Amino acid sequence: MMFLSLEATDSAIEALSRAYRLSPDNEEIATTYAQISFFANKGQLDASSRRVLQDVLAKNPQHEGAQMLMAMGEARGSNFAEAQGWIKRLQGSIVAKPGDHTKALASLDELSNYVSTQEKQALEGIDVTVKINANLLLLVKADDVLFVAIRDVKGGPPFAAKRLPISIIKQGEASIRLSNLDAMMPDRTLNSARSDKTQLAVVARISHSGNAIAESGDLSGNPIMISVEQTQVNVEINQQIP
């Protein structure tokens, strides 16, 4: 399982996208395109790279590079059961090959343990249901980005935040879990906020530019105050920033 060390620039992604469209059956081009997109998206599988990997695996179910990307992408997306499933498939592929694969299998065991640890931390998080007011749905564009964060009502960096493709919203609604895994700083987590009895607020915003800072034209909602013990909250995006 060797991953190419390539700089994930927009131009590289576009070039590989064109190459993939011209040669969709070329596994090397397909997996390289998916890999570059994966790292450019900070370890997240977008709809395009996921579709490419699924096509590769449909033709070659034992493709180890594609299996590994699926495992890492599902783990990053907090789809832990799916991630563990891909790890098991990858282990099976390696065991079936002749030779000594002790190191590779040990690495996969470490990855599996890491995913289990991540899952335990995620279970301590807060489920956020984001709804878009029906009057604003026509203002949402296909390449928009959804930001969801939990912060101190007094200000400062979020205790947890996610930047997600707008495609996560289905029929005007999305369910997102924020946990210690989504901390921006290692010492500023939801657990630390709970320990300090910090008054928290959940905010959600749809950005047209993808900028983490709110801009005119973005869609947002009022911050929703929550208690440190709360594990679920609903947020409505119901206004456009002037």
Side-chain angles (χ1 to χ4, degrees):
M1 295 172 290
M2 183 65 70
F3 284 86
L4 300 176
S5 178
L6 297 175
E7 185 178 358
T9 63
D10 290 342
S11 58
I13 293 172
E14 180 56 33
L16 284 164
S17 176
R18 286 197 302 271
Y20 172 69
R21 289 196 297 270
L22 291 171
S23 304
D25 294 326
N26 187 310
E27 286 185 359
E28 183 177 357
I29 291 175
T31 51
T32 302
Y33 169 47
Q35 177 191 334
I36 293 299
S37 297
F38 174 81
F39 288 112
N41 288 321
K42 299 181 180 179
Q44 292 185 343
L45 288 176
D46 60 16
S48 177
S49 54
R50 181 182 291 274
R51 184 171 58 252
V52 169
L53 291 173
Q54 289 171 339
D55 287 345
V56 170
L57 289 164
K59 297 167 186 172
N60 181 5
Q62 305 305 316
H63 194 291
E64 294 178 6
Q67 288 177 341
M68 178 60 88
L69 281 171
M70 288 297 293
M72 294 192 298
E74 297 292 17
R76 185 67 178 82
S78 298
N79 301 317
F80 302 109
E82 290 83 352
Q84 295 285 20
W86 284 110
I87 292 171
K88 288 181 180 178
R89 286 181 61 174
L90 192 49
Q91 288 170 326
S93 297
I94 292 173
V95 168
K97 297 190 301 183
D100 181 7
H101 305 292
T102 304
K103 290 184 178 180
L105 292 172
S107 294
L108 288 175
D109 284 339
E110 289 180 11
L111 178 59
S112 179
N113 291 336
Y114 172 76
V115 171
S116 295
T117 300
Q118 298 284 90
E119 183 173 14
K120 290 177 183 177
Q121 291 195 51
L123 290 174
E124 299 174 351
I126 296 174
D127 291 317
V128 181
T129 299
V130 178
K131 297 181 180 180
I132 304 176
N133 187 286
N135 294 327
L136 298 182
L137 286 174
L138 291 177
L139 299 178
V140 178
K141 302 173 184 176
D143 56 352
D144 284 351
V145 173
L146 173 66
F147 287 95
V148 184
I150 300 175
R151 60 176 71 248
D152 188 334
V153 294
K154 297 178 181 177
F159 289 99
K162 275 187 175 176
R163 180 185 190 277
L164 300 161
I166 201 65
S167 58
I168 194 173
I169 294 178
K170 308 296 184 185
Q171 297 181 329
E173 184 174 319
S175 296
I176 299 131
R177 170 161 289 209
L178 291 175
S179 69
N180 292 331
L181 301 179
D182 305 302
M184 298 181 67
M185 296 185 292
D187 59 347
R188 192 175 176 85
T189 65
L190 282 178
N191 277 358
S192 70
R194 286 167 170 154
S195 296
D196 295 337
K197 305 295 183 183
T198 304
Q199 178 62 67
L200 300 173
V202 181
V203 293
R205 177 175 57 87
I206 294 174
S207 168
H208 298 313
S209 67
N211 196 328
I213 300 174
E215 299 175 331
S216 176
D218 287 354
L219 309 178
S220 68
N222 295 320
I224 303 298
M225 305 262 288
I226 60 172
S227 67
V228 291
E229 298 86 8
Q230 200 164 332
T231 59
Q232 198 282 329
V233 62
N234 297 326
V235 179
E236 183 184 31
I237 293 177
N238 55 14
Q239 55 193 295
Q240 186 172 32
I241 298 175

